[in-house]
Amino acid sequence: MQTALIETVAIALAAYALGSVSFAVVVSTLMGLPDPRSYGSNNPGATNVLRTGNKLAAALTLIGDAGKGALAVTLTALYSGESAATGFDAPLAGAMAFLGHLYPLFHGFKGGKGVATAAGVLLSLSLYLGLGTLLTFGIIALFFRMISLASVIAAAFAVFWAWSLFGMTPITPVVGAIAMLLVWRHRENILRIIRGTEPRLGERKA
Protein backbone atom coordinates (compact mmCIF):
# COMPACT_ATOMS: atom_id res chain seq x y z
CA MET A 1 0.00 0.00 0.00
CA GLN A 2 2.77 2.41 1.00
CA THR A 3 4.83 1.48 -2.06
CA ALA A 4 1.86 2.15 -4.34
CA LEU A 5 1.34 5.55 -2.73
CA ILE A 6 5.00 6.46 -3.17
CA GLU A 7 4.83 5.42 -6.83
CA THR A 8 1.69 7.53 -7.37
CA VAL A 9 3.36 10.58 -5.77
CA ALA A 10 6.48 10.03 -7.89
CA ILE A 11 4.37 9.79 -11.06
CA ALA A 12 2.52 12.99 -10.16
CA LEU A 13 5.76 14.90 -9.53
CA ALA A 14 7.38 13.61 -12.72
CA ALA A 15 4.32 14.54 -14.77
CA TYR A 16 4.30 18.01 -13.23
CA ALA A 17 7.98 18.45 -14.11
CA LEU A 18 7.32 17.33 -17.69
CA GLY A 19 4.40 19.74 -17.98
CA SER A 20 6.59 22.54 -16.64
CA VAL A 21 8.66 22.56 -19.84
CA SER A 22 7.23 25.54 -21.75
CA PHE A 23 7.73 24.79 -25.42
CA ALA A 24 6.79 28.35 -26.34
CA VAL A 25 9.80 29.59 -24.38
CA VAL A 26 12.11 26.76 -25.43
CA VAL A 27 11.27 26.95 -29.15
CA SER A 28 11.46 30.75 -29.16
CA THR A 29 14.87 30.68 -27.48
CA LEU A 30 16.25 28.06 -29.87
CA MET A 31 14.93 29.92 -32.93
CA GLY A 32 16.11 33.33 -31.78
CA LEU A 33 12.60 34.74 -31.29
CA PRO A 34 11.47 37.10 -28.51
CA ASP A 35 10.29 35.63 -25.22
CA PRO A 36 6.54 34.99 -25.78
CA ARG A 37 5.87 36.36 -22.31
CA SER A 38 7.08 39.79 -23.45
CA TYR A 39 4.66 40.61 -26.29
CA GLY A 40 1.11 40.17 -27.53
CA SER A 41 -1.01 38.49 -24.89
CA ASN A 42 2.14 37.64 -22.87
CA ASN A 43 0.87 34.06 -22.95
CA PRO A 44 3.54 31.41 -23.63
CA GLY A 45 1.49 29.41 -26.11
CA ALA A 46 1.31 28.62 -29.81
CA THR A 47 -1.20 31.37 -30.62
CA ASN A 48 1.03 34.07 -29.17
CA VAL A 49 4.17 32.64 -30.81
CA LEU A 50 2.31 32.85 -34.12
CA ARG A 51 2.21 36.65 -33.65
CA THR A 52 5.92 36.69 -34.55
CA GLY A 53 4.94 35.50 -38.03
CA ASN A 54 6.97 32.32 -37.60
CA LYS A 55 4.52 29.53 -38.39
CA LEU A 56 7.09 26.78 -37.83
CA ALA A 57 7.80 28.01 -34.30
CA ALA A 58 4.07 28.14 -33.55
CA ALA A 59 3.56 24.62 -34.94
CA LEU A 60 6.46 23.23 -32.91
CA THR A 61 5.07 24.91 -29.79
CA LEU A 62 1.64 23.41 -30.41
CA ILE A 63 3.07 19.93 -30.99
CA GLY A 64 5.34 20.15 -27.96
CA ASP A 65 2.66 21.38 -25.58
CA ALA A 66 0.14 18.77 -26.74
CA GLY A 67 2.81 16.07 -26.84
CA LYS A 68 3.95 16.52 -23.25
CA GLY A 69 0.39 16.00 -22.01
CA ALA A 70 -0.01 12.89 -24.15
CA LEU A 71 3.42 11.59 -23.12
CA ALA A 72 2.67 11.94 -19.42
CA VAL A 73 -0.51 9.87 -19.77
CA THR A 74 0.94 7.27 -22.14
CA LEU A 75 4.13 6.60 -20.16
CA THR A 76 2.16 6.32 -16.93
CA ALA A 77 -0.31 3.86 -18.47
CA LEU A 78 2.57 1.74 -19.79
CA TYR A 79 4.37 1.82 -16.43
CA SER A 80 1.32 1.08 -14.28
CA GLY A 81 -0.25 -1.44 -16.65
CA GLU A 82 -3.61 0.25 -16.09
CA SER A 83 -5.96 1.50 -18.75
CA ALA A 84 -5.44 5.21 -19.38
CA ALA A 85 -9.21 5.70 -19.37
CA THR A 86 -10.23 3.59 -16.37
CA GLY A 87 -7.12 3.62 -14.16
CA PHE A 88 -6.14 6.27 -11.62
CA ASP A 89 -2.48 7.09 -12.16
CA ALA A 90 -2.72 7.95 -15.87
CA PRO A 91 -5.51 10.55 -15.46
CA LEU A 92 -3.63 11.96 -12.46
CA ALA A 93 -0.46 12.24 -14.55
CA GLY A 94 -2.38 14.07 -17.25
CA ALA A 95 -3.80 16.53 -14.74
CA MET A 96 -0.37 17.16 -13.21
CA ALA A 97 1.22 17.73 -16.63
CA PHE A 98 -1.57 20.23 -17.34
CA LEU A 99 -0.96 21.92 -13.98
CA GLY A 100 2.75 22.09 -14.80
CA HIS A 101 1.95 23.89 -18.04
CA LEU A 102 -0.21 26.45 -16.23
CA TYR A 103 2.26 27.00 -13.39
CA PRO A 104 5.65 25.79 -14.65
CA LEU A 105 8.37 25.12 -12.10
CA PHE A 106 11.10 26.05 -14.60
CA HIS A 107 9.61 29.36 -15.75
CA GLY A 108 8.69 31.23 -12.60
CA PHE A 109 5.26 29.55 -12.37
CA LYS A 110 4.03 31.77 -15.23
CA GLY A 111 2.65 29.45 -17.89
CA GLY A 112 0.12 29.29 -20.68
CA LYS A 113 -3.61 28.74 -20.72
CA GLY A 114 -3.33 25.01 -21.36
CA VAL A 115 -5.54 24.39 -24.40
CA ALA A 116 -2.98 22.36 -26.38
CA THR A 117 -1.78 20.43 -23.33
CA ALA A 118 -5.36 19.63 -22.32
CA ALA A 119 -6.04 18.36 -25.85
CA GLY A 120 -3.02 16.06 -25.68
CA VAL A 121 -4.13 14.72 -22.31
CA LEU A 122 -7.72 14.06 -23.41
CA LEU A 123 -6.73 12.37 -26.67
CA SER A 124 -4.33 10.04 -24.85
CA LEU A 125 -6.86 9.23 -22.12
CA SER A 126 -9.53 8.34 -24.68
CA LEU A 127 -9.60 8.93 -28.42
CA TYR A 128 -13.40 9.35 -28.32
CA LEU A 129 -13.18 11.84 -25.45
CA GLY A 130 -10.49 13.83 -27.21
CA LEU A 131 -12.21 13.85 -30.58
CA GLY A 132 -15.57 14.80 -29.08
CA THR A 133 -13.97 17.73 -27.27
CA LEU A 134 -12.03 18.84 -30.38
CA LEU A 135 -15.21 18.62 -32.45
CA THR A 136 -16.98 20.88 -29.95
CA PHE A 137 -14.05 23.30 -30.08
CA GLY A 138 -14.05 23.34 -33.88
CA ILE A 139 -17.78 23.99 -34.19
CA ILE A 140 -17.73 26.92 -31.75
CA ALA A 141 -14.57 28.39 -33.29
CA LEU A 142 -16.07 28.11 -36.78
CA PHE A 143 -19.33 29.85 -35.91
CA PHE A 144 -18.12 32.49 -33.43
CA ARG A 145 -14.49 32.90 -34.56
CA MET A 146 -13.25 33.20 -30.98
CA ILE A 147 -10.62 30.73 -29.78
CA SER A 148 -11.19 31.68 -26.15
CA LEU A 149 -14.94 31.05 -26.32
CA ALA A 150 -14.36 27.76 -28.14
CA SER A 151 -11.83 26.71 -25.48
CA VAL A 152 -14.14 27.46 -22.57
CA ILE A 153 -17.19 25.75 -24.10
CA ALA A 154 -15.11 22.74 -25.18
CA ALA A 155 -13.78 22.44 -21.62
CA ALA A 156 -17.32 22.28 -20.25
CA PHE A 157 -18.32 19.70 -22.86
CA ALA A 158 -15.21 17.62 -22.07
CA VAL A 159 -16.71 16.92 -18.65
CA PHE A 160 -19.99 15.92 -20.28
CA TRP A 161 -18.21 13.60 -22.72
CA ALA A 162 -16.15 12.04 -19.93
CA TRP A 163 -19.22 11.40 -17.78
CA SER A 164 -21.17 10.01 -20.77
CA LEU A 165 -18.35 7.63 -21.72
CA PHE A 166 -16.99 6.57 -18.34
CA GLY A 167 -19.43 7.59 -15.60
CA MET A 168 -17.89 8.50 -12.25
CA THR A 169 -14.62 6.68 -12.77
CA PRO A 170 -11.43 8.66 -11.91
CA ILE A 171 -11.21 10.14 -15.41
CA THR A 172 -14.37 12.24 -14.97
CA PRO A 173 -13.37 14.25 -11.87
CA VAL A 174 -9.88 14.66 -13.34
CA VAL A 175 -11.32 16.06 -16.57
CA GLY A 176 -13.57 18.25 -14.42
CA ALA A 177 -10.54 19.65 -12.57
CA ILE A 178 -8.74 20.33 -15.85
CA ALA A 179 -11.83 22.05 -17.24
CA MET A 180 -12.20 24.31 -14.19
CA LEU A 181 -8.54 25.31 -14.30
CA LEU A 182 -8.77 26.03 -18.02
CA VAL A 183 -11.84 28.22 -17.51
CA TRP A 184 -10.07 30.03 -14.65
CA ARG A 185 -7.08 30.76 -16.89
CA HIS A 186 -9.48 32.25 -19.44
CA ARG A 187 -11.24 34.49 -16.91
CA GLU A 188 -9.99 37.71 -18.53
CA ASN A 189 -11.14 36.45 -21.95
CA ILE A 190 -14.55 35.64 -20.48
CA LEU A 191 -14.90 39.20 -19.19
CA ARG A 192 -13.99 40.56 -22.62
CA ILE A 193 -16.51 38.22 -24.25
CA ILE A 194 -19.22 39.54 -21.92
CA ARG A 195 -18.22 43.11 -22.72
CA GLY A 196 -18.08 42.38 -26.45
CA THR A 197 -14.41 43.35 -26.71
CA GLU A 198 -12.83 39.92 -27.23
CA PRO A 199 -11.11 39.87 -30.64
CA ARG A 200 -12.25 37.35 -33.22
CA LEU A 201 -10.09 35.33 -35.55
CA GLY A 202 -8.57 37.60 -38.15
CA GLU A 203 -8.89 40.68 -35.96
CA ARG A 204 -6.01 42.37 -34.18
CA LYS A 205 -6.18 42.56 -30.43
CA ALA A 206 -6.71 46.10 -29.21
Side-chain angles (χ1 to χ4, degrees):
M1 183 70 174
Q2 186 175 2
T3 302
L5 178 60
I6 292 173
E7 286 186 348
T8 296
V9 171
I11 287 170
L13 292 175
Y16 172 75
L18 176 60
S20 290
V21 178
S22 175
F23 279 88
V25 176
V26 172
V27 169
S28 294
T29 300
L30 293 176
M31 299 185 72
L33 299 173
D35 189 323
R37 296 166 294 183
S38 66
Y39 62 85
S41 65
N42 303 118
N43 178 56
T47 301
N48 204 35
V49 171
L50 187 59
R51 289 190 170 98
T52 65
N54 194 317
K55 295 180 180 179
L56 176 59
L60 291 174
T61 299
L62 180 66
I63 293 169
D65 283 344
K68 67 187 180 184
L71 187 63
V73 172
T74 302
L75 289 180
T76 301
L78 289 173
Y79 174 78
S80 66
E82 296 178 338
S83 165
T86 59
F88 175 77
D89 285 345
L92 175 64
M96 291 302 293
F98 178 75
L99 185 66
H101 179 81
L102 300 188
Y103 304 102
L105 176 66
F106 309 127
H107 304 284
F109 301 102
K110 296 179 180 179
K113 294 183 178 178
V115 176
T117 303
V121 169
L122 296 181
L123 285 167
S124 56
L125 286 173
S126 165
L127 184 60
Y128 294 115
L129 171 61
L131 290 178
T133 304
L134 288 176
L135 179 62
T136 304
F137 175 91
I139 291 172
I140 300 302
L142 178 64
F143 279 95
F144 294 95
R145 296 189 296 117
M146 284 192 282
I147 296 298
S148 54
L149 179 63
S151 300
V152 169
I153 292 178
F157 268 86
V159 183
F160 169 76
W161 295 128
W163 180 81
S164 298
L165 290 166
F166 304 106
M168 286 308 296
T169 53
I171 189 173
T172 300
V174 164
V175 171
I178 290 174
M180 286 189 291
L181 282 170
L182 192 145
V183 171
W184 170 250
R185 294 291 285 185
H186 282 81
R187 61 193 182 278
E188 293 179 0
N189 302 87
I190 294 171
L191 288 175
R192 287 196 295 270
I193 291 170
I194 294 171
R195 293 169 184 160
T197 58
E198 178 73 352
R200 298 176 185 268
L201 288 172
E203 295 178 350
R204 290 186 177 275
K205 184 178 178 181

